[in-house]
Amino acid sequence: MTASAPIQDRRAHRIAVIYDTGVRPDTMGEHCRRALEEMGITISHFLPKEVQEIPRIYDLYLRVDDDLDYALPAELHPLAYWAIDTHRGYLGRLPHARAADFVFCAQQNGAGRMRRDGIRAHWLPCACDPRMHRRIPGAVKEHDIAFVGHATPANAARYDVLQSIRRRYPRAFVGQAYGDDMARVYSASRLTFNWSLADDVNMRVFEATACGSLLLTNDLTENGQDLLFTPGTHLVTYRDLEELWPLIDRYLRDEATRERMAEAGMRHAHARHTYRQRMTDLLRVVFEGMSLDASYPIADHEPRAASREGTAGERAGARAWGRGMSPESPDPGSRSFAARPAVSIIIPTFNKLGLTQQCVASIREYTDIPHELLIVDNGSSDGTAAWARAEGLGVIANEENLGFPRACNQGMLAADGAYLLLLNNDTVVSPGWLELLVAHAEGDPTAGLVGPSTNFAVSCQKVPARYASRDEFLTFAAQLSRTEAGAAVPVTRLVGLCLLIPRRVVQAVGLLDERFGLGNFEDDDYCLRVRMAGFRLLWAKDVFIHHEGHQSFRELGEGFQRILDTNERLFREKWDLTRYFGSGNGQPPEASAWDLLRGGRYAEAYDAFERLARVQPRDARALVGLGLAAEGRGVPAAAALAYRAALVVDPQAAGAARGLARTTGEVEEFLESVEWVGPNHRGEGGR
């Protein structure tokens, strides 16, 4: 390898790209991998858990920041590190930068700070992928303004602004979307919106602009945004809320100016700010020794409000994430990558404030790992939302009772944890409960849901329990934890009173089905969907949680039974597979599914192929279609599951092999395992 080798001659080189895919499906690492592959370079992707097994055969090892703190083997050289979110968790990223041979920062001020700390860092901004971030032809402008991203109460300032947008503009979109769905949301919006948490020129600036709708973003001149986009030509900036509202109203009215600027911004993003261009610049630094300072200059001055203890944004983020953490938890400002808690605990509430207070008190007393607490209140009349705000908890307050599934979904969309935990407010947890649940999930890569033992549940999780006081409850829980230490039993069903869900499962399976209204049977439905996606349900026998049982539903009296009857009927109708034979128009259901796929209607195609797979679980072609639809939706984790299932049914399924290679690169290893496992290993087995 020579320092002067031109970029076009580098196709023979091999690059190992290291990043996680479990937190979200469209990471910076994924964009980098695709861009390098487009350039004809041989790429291997390694997950954090695989770093010790990375062969020492590559010409470059590229670590793309994924918000996880892990060490790489010291002998991986040359090593390039692209630090993305230096505006939060800077000190945690510093050791990774010191260990690298080449350092790049997505934020201009982050690169400047690293240079002051003695590291030769380059500013390499975020970018867009024109294949994914583009205007969808024929999209109807159904949203006045759209914000795609986390709308969590923990980030109080941004959350309050987004709530104001929802109130002022009823046709606004606020929520998460990935891949093709993100492009559809942006394309269907007159305006798009960005509120940076800590003066960061984030991915949203590039992605929203690239989708062809005018972006309104806070003024980030001090962090170099005006060097990337020209305000008033490619996008619109605001300095404060007094400027924001008139700007939104102005550009909603002025369609001609709005669309002209949106078109200019999209063309500029596709021409100047793509991941392929970023990877070209990175490789020129690594292999040709060039500097990026001419293209992406780094300011010499000290960033505003910076200090040895961290930037103002980092300190504000630490304070925000401290809400809901137990008093004994480490100071979030002192932890690496503090902006993401390990677990987001989501508690839907409807009155019963006393029980909620009891539940939260037990969490604070008996939970040691970093977490956030989100209360989703369904129109309580007893002051639940006000109490939760006064306690510093994250709060989503609905004006009416939207039901348990809807409240859980709101919480999951707002949550930032690597694990999501749905918890009834009529529960009391015991010492070590969350650590044990997470340990079981991390100990089994196939774990989809993990649930505890309890005193009240219509399932195997109910264990004989007698206690009449808090002390007796704690004694019983401790004894059970000792006698069942380490026991996690695969089961076919878990009740929804306490469910730990890895984020990757939500990305693969989706949210709870809101057709079940106020609640009941949504947990049965979710368990079935999780199992069908190839995950296991684990009963953590060594964790005990007290459950009062049906406290909110008791207020409904006889109406509770009607809800049970209705939801049981809905559940049976949903899973009555015979109704999926035929499409009602004489066309075979498979033909309809492929037509939807060819038409780019990926969400509908996914549902259609999923129905086919339930009816014909050994139809490899339908499973390949399911994988293609999942790829179209921008969810490679779900696509990989479908392709693996197809290869188990038919190891010669070329479409599945190509799909698995695209999404994971692991097809050869997987096919080798299929040869000895045999085609029937997808039976219920130990599930």
Side-chain angles (χ1 to χ4, degrees):
M1 178 171 57
T2 63
S4 60
I7 291 292
Q8 59 266 28
D9 293 338
R10 198 159 298 115
R11 295 187 179 184
H13 287 89
R14 293 172 294 184
I15 299 178
V17 188
I18 306 161
Y19 60 92
D20 179 61
T21 58
V23 176
R24 53 178 292 175
D26 56 342
T27 65
M28 292 278 279
E30 280 287 284
H31 297 315
C32 294
R33 178 186 61 79
R34 284 195 292 265
L36 290 166
E37 287 177 344
E38 284 181 1
M39 296 163 65
I41 297 172
T42 301
I43 299 299
S44 297
H45 169 218
F46 294 92
L47 296 169
K49 65 182 179 181
E50 300 169 329
V51 295
Q52 298 301 324
E53 285 74 46
I54 298 178
R56 281 46 169 178
I57 61 172
Y58 294 93
D59 301 303
L60 176 66
Y61 301 86
L62 171 59
R63 175 177 185 163
V64 184
D65 198 352
D66 52 17
D67 252 6
L68 300 181
D69 194 2
Y70 54 92
L72 297 180
E75 59 269 30
L76 296 186
H77 293 288
L79 173 63
Y81 174 47
W82 194 5
I84 309 303
D85 293 335
T86 49
H87 56 286
R88 54 185 178 89
Y90 172 85
L91 297 178
R93 288 169 167 82
L94 198 56
H96 305 313
R98 294 195 188 281
D101 302 294
F102 304 92
V103 178
F104 305 85
C105 296
Q107 305 303 323
Q108 184 196 53
N109 54 17
R113 189 176 178 188
M114 285 200 174
R115 286 195 179 182
R116 289 188 294 277
D117 283 335
I119 297 171
R120 175 61 183 172
H122 300 267
W123 177 27
L124 190 67
C126 301
C128 70
D129 181 349
R131 296 180 307 169
M132 179 180 297
H133 309 125
R134 83 284 186 202
R135 179 184 290 155
I136 302 297
V140 178
K141 299 289 186 180
E142 61 181 286
H143 310 301
D144 284 337
I145 188 167
F147 174 88
V148 176
H150 288 298
T152 168
N155 297 316
R158 184 165 78 182
Y159 181 77
D160 290 342
V161 172
L162 293 175
Q163 292 296 90
S164 296
I165 286 177
R166 280 183 167 128
R167 290 191 295 268
R168 287 171 176 258
Y169 307 98
R171 295 176 61 185
F173 176 94
V174 176
Q176 293 178 274
Y178 300 106
D180 210 63
D181 290 339
M182 176 197 291
R184 291 183 187 281
V185 170
Y186 281 146
S187 299
S189 304
R190 294 174 176 83
L191 298 171
T192 59
F193 177 72
N194 180 49
W195 175 289
S196 295
L197 295 177
D199 294 336
D200 51 304
V201 184
N202 54 39
M203 295 171 67
R204 191 177 300 106
V205 171
F206 301 87
E207 294 169 351
T209 305
C211 288
S213 293
L214 181 60
L215 173 68
L216 274 69
T217 181
N218 43 329
D219 188 347
L220 304 172
T221 300
E222 288 197 7
N223 200 14
Q225 181 177 268
D226 60 328
L227 301 177
L228 305 173
F229 297 90
T230 302
T233 300
H234 303 133
L235 44 72
V236 175
T237 61
Y238 61 90
R239 289 172 294 184
D240 50 39
L241 292 181
E242 289 184 3
E243 276 192 350
L244 174 62
W245 307 123
L247 284 171
I248 294 176
D249 293 336
R250 171 188 170 184
Y251 288 107
L252 285 178
R253 291 192 304 267
D254 190 351
E255 180 179 1
T257 303
R258 181 186 74 225
E259 295 306 314
R260 183 177 66 252
M261 293 172 64
E263 179 72 15
M266 179 181 68
R267 291 183 181 276
H268 181 73
H270 289 178
R272 300 291 300 275
H273 301 302
T274 67
Y275 283 100
R276 181 163 183 166
Q277 291 165 324
R278 299 293 189 259
M279 290 297 97
T280 297
D281 286 339
L282 183 148
L283 294 181
R284 282 177 173 157
V285 170
V286 171
F287 293 111
E288 298 176 12
M290 70 173 285
S291 170
L292 298 182
D293 285 0
S295 301
Y296 307 115
I298 298 174
D300 293 327
H301 65 275
E302 188 80 0
R304 180 179 55 189
S307 73
R308 286 185 177 273
E309 282 68 41
T311 65
E314 286 174 317
R315 294 194 297 274
R319 288 194 297 272
W321 283 116
R323 299 168 186 165
M325 298 184 67
S326 67
E328 295 77 25
S329 296
D331 173 16
S334 68
R335 289 185 289 109
S336 299
F337 307 92
R340 171 166 289 128
V343 183
S344 296
I345 302 173
I346 300 158
I347 305 178
T349 58
F350 177 60
N351 294 321
K352 304 296 180 183
L353 174 58
L355 291 175
T356 302
Q357 292 171 327
Q358 181 176 265
C359 176
V360 169
S362 70
I363 293 171
R364 284 175 161 167
E365 185 172 2
Y366 301 129
T367 310
D368 294 327
I369 64 175
H371 63 279
E372 64 170 334
L373 268 172
L374 300 177
I375 301 294
V376 187
D377 187 63
N378 266 330
S380 294
S381 59
D382 60 0
T384 294
W387 170 83
R389 290 192 185 99
E391 289 291 310
L393 307 180
V395 178
I396 299 174
N398 297 317
E399 295 182 358
E400 58 183 341
N401 190 351
L402 301 180
F404 183 83
R406 176 72 178 276
C408 288
N409 290 346
Q410 288 177 300
M412 287 194 283
L413 289 172
D416 258 7
Y419 289 91
L420 310 180
L421 186 128
L422 307 180
L423 185 68
N424 282 17
N425 69 326
D426 59 346
T427 56
V428 177
V429 303
S430 57
W433 70 291
L434 191 53
E435 291 84 349
L436 290 172
L437 291 176
V438 171
H440 288 307
E442 292 186 342
D444 185 345
T446 68
L449 302 174
V450 184
S453 301
T454 187
N455 60 300
F456 186 95
V458 185
S459 76
C460 63
Q461 295 165 262
K462 181 179 179 180
V463 298
R466 290 186 179 180
Y467 45 83
S469 67
R470 176 179 178 275
D471 288 343
E472 290 181 6
F473 157 67
L474 294 175
T475 299
F476 176 82
Q479 181 180 357
L480 185 72
S481 185
R482 288 192 299 270
T483 57
E484 298 288 354
V489 180
V491 295
T492 58
R493 175 177 177 267
L494 291 169
V495 292
L497 68 97
C498 175
L499 282 178
L500 181 72
I501 315 172
R503 183 173 288 275
R504 70 179 185 278
V505 174
V506 179
Q507 292 168 348
V509 178
L511 301 173
L512 299 184
D513 192 335
E514 295 179 8
R515 79 178 67 191
F516 296 105
L518 292 180
N520 279 297
F521 282 92
E522 77 287 334
D523 49 357
D524 298 87
D525 173 81
Y526 203 67
C527 287
L528 187 53
R529 288 160 54 198
V530 168
R531 290 175 59 216
M532 291 180 65
F535 297 102
R536 297 205 301 175
L537 315 184
L538 298 181
W539 168 23
K541 300 183 72 174
D542 55 354
V543 179
F544 185 81
I545 289 178
H546 172 75
H547 183 212
E548 291 289 335
H550 296 324
Q551 289 299 304
S552 297
F553 283 108
R554 285 177 182 172
E555 296 184 3
L556 300 173
E558 294 181 358
F560 179 41
Q561 186 59 49
R562 288 195 296 272
I563 290 174
L564 280 177
D565 294 340
T566 298
N567 285 1
E568 182 177 7
R569 175 179 55 79
L570 291 173
F571 178 81
R572 294 186 180 281
E573 287 178 355
K574 178 177 180 178
W575 297 104
D576 178 10
L577 303 182
T578 58
R579 70 192 181 100
Y580 293 120
F581 285 107
S583 58
N585 59 4
Q587 187 180 34
E590 184 178 7
S592 301
W594 286 102
D595 287 343
L596 291 170
L597 185 63
R598 281 189 288 268
R601 296 161 65 181
Y602 299 120
E604 297 171 74
Y606 186 90
D607 290 341
F609 280 116
E610 189 177 42
R611 293 194 291 267
L612 279 171
R614 295 191 200 114
V615 178
Q616 305 169 38
R618 301 191 61 76
D619 185 341
R621 190 167 183 269
L623 291 167
V624 171
L626 183 63
L628 292 170
E631 282 195 80
R633 295 181 67 186
V635 189
L641 287 171
Y643 293 138
R644 289 190 188 101
L647 288 170
V648 169
V649 173
D650 179 9
Q652 305 303 317
R658 288 193 297 269
L660 193 60
R662 278 196 307 273
T663 52
T664 68
E666 65 179 39
V667 63
E668 292 183 3
E669 177 183 343
F670 184 79
L671 284 174
E672 288 176 2
S673 69
V674 170
E675 290 178 3
W676 64 266
V677 171
N680 297 318
H681 85 292
R682 285 176 59 85
E684 289 301 300
R687 295 185 186 175

